[in-house]
Amino acid sequence: MDHFYVFSFKKRRRYFTLSLILLLAAGFFIFQSSILGSNASDDVALTRGSVEEPNIALTFNISWGEEKVHDILDALAKEEVQATFFLSGEWAERHPIIVEEITEGGHEIGILGYRYKSYVEQDLEEVRRDLFLAQEAFEKLGFEDINLLRTPSGRFNEEILDLAESMGFEVVHWNINPNDWKNPGTENIVNVVMNDTTNGDIILLHASDRVKQTAAALETILPGLKGKGLNFVPISELISQAHADIELVE
């Protein structure tokens, strides 16, 4: 297999030339992969911010219920932490007062579709219709410029990413997930977040009524992550930072 060694100068000139071309192409690919999402492939979703900055984003999904969100908002207010809430349009229509409370707390709003149904289980026109309905729902509530989108169940493919981009959305995923919706125990939620979170991470939590332990976990998580020197920022701030990591999530 010696003839595959790129830096073997004993080979004929044509192999050296080919190797040099391949090396330059690889370097260009690596450079392109490291630049901002606005300059990279459209078929990407934000999964993490810059690893060079001690900023992290705390995100919450809400698609049903109206009770647990208040305890979570109280915990965030106590520690003066800004988060990003991804809300389904259908839920927002039913709970406009809570949406207002979220924004009054200084938190950012993103769209979680209209109906909470996986996009990969629908045809593309159904997904388009769902996104239009979500936009209309938030526009009626006074939000006309929301461009952050988290797909229901966090599932998507290249066609969905293309559609979202064409409609002006930035698809936001995550890379820290303690599965708090399964109620695995307050200590377990705390341990996953505290042990795994570092620069640029996007944490997925929930504020629907299914979660029973998330608010209590935040009492430890919020001051704990601050104690590690990490700063909580909205998703939009992570996106604006240079060298944000973006990738297609299968």
Side-chain angles (χ1 to χ4, degrees), residues 24 35 38 71 88 102 107 119 129 144 147 169 202 223 227:
L24 291 173
I35 60 177
S38 59
D71 292 337
S88 73
I102 291 172
H107 306 296
Y119 282 173
R129 175 62 175 166
E144 299 182 356
N147 67 343
F169 287 112
I202 299 174

Side-chain angles (χ1 to χ4, degrees), residues 80-247:
E80 299 182 338
V81 167
Q82 284 185 306
T84 301
F85 284 77
F86 289 90
L87 314 174
S88 73
E90 195 173 37
W91 181 89
E93 285 181 332
R94 294 198 303 268
H95 305 289
I97 295 177
I98 301 179
V99 176
E100 184 177 351
E101 291 174 358
I102 291 172
T103 57
E104 287 179 348
H107 306 296
E108 189 170 48
I109 298 292
I111 289 177
L112 193 63
Y114 183 74
R115 296 184 178 88
Y116 194 79
K117 180 181 178 181
S118 175
Y119 282 173
V120 297
E121 297 174 0
Q122 304 179 58
D123 64 45
L124 206 58
E125 286 308 309
E126 288 179 312
V127 175
R128 188 191 307 275
R129 175 62 175 166
D130 187 84
L131 288 172
F132 274 127
L133 288 173
Q135 285 179 319
E136 290 178 355
F138 283 98
E139 285 174 1
K140 290 177 182 177
L141 294 174
F143 300 94
E144 299 182 356
D145 56 353
I146 297 179
N147 67 343
L148 300 177
L149 170 67
R150 175 166 285 165
T151 57
S153 302
R155 301 181 65 192
F156 50 82
N157 53 34
E158 291 187 20
E159 286 187 334
I160 292 169
L161 290 175
D162 281 341
L163 173 62
E165 192 273 337
S166 71
M167 296 178 67
F169 287 112
E170 178 86 34
V171 178
V172 178
H173 202 62
W174 61 82
N175 68 318
I176 302 294
N177 180 12
N179 290 306
D180 63 325
W181 62 275
K182 295 182 179 180
N183 297 306
T186 302
E187 184 176 354
N188 183 279
I189 296 171
V190 170
N191 288 340
V192 169
V193 176
M194 290 300 301
N195 293 335
D196 295 348
T197 303
T198 187
N199 290 9
D201 285 346
I202 299 174
I203 304 168
L204 170 65
L205 293 173
H206 298 77
S208 295
D209 282 357
R210 174 177 292 183
V211 297
K212 312 296 183 183
Q213 301 151 349
T214 302
L218 289 174
E219 294 179 5
T220 300
I221 289 171
L222 300 181
L225 292 179
K226 285 182 178 180
K228 291 176 65 174
L230 297 171
N231 307 312
F232 293 94
V233 300
I235 283 291
S236 59
E237 187 167 335
L238 280 190
I239 292 174
S240 69
Q241 292 168 358
H243 311 301
D245 296 329
I246 53 177
E247 63 184 47

Side-chain angles (χ1 to χ4, degrees), residues 1-8 11-12 15-16 18-19:
M1 301 295 289
D2 287 347
H3 58 283
F4 286 116
Y5 289 176
V6 172
F7 289 107
S8 177
K11 307 305 172 188
R12 295 177 181 179
Y15 288 108
F16 174 76
L18 177 60
S19 299

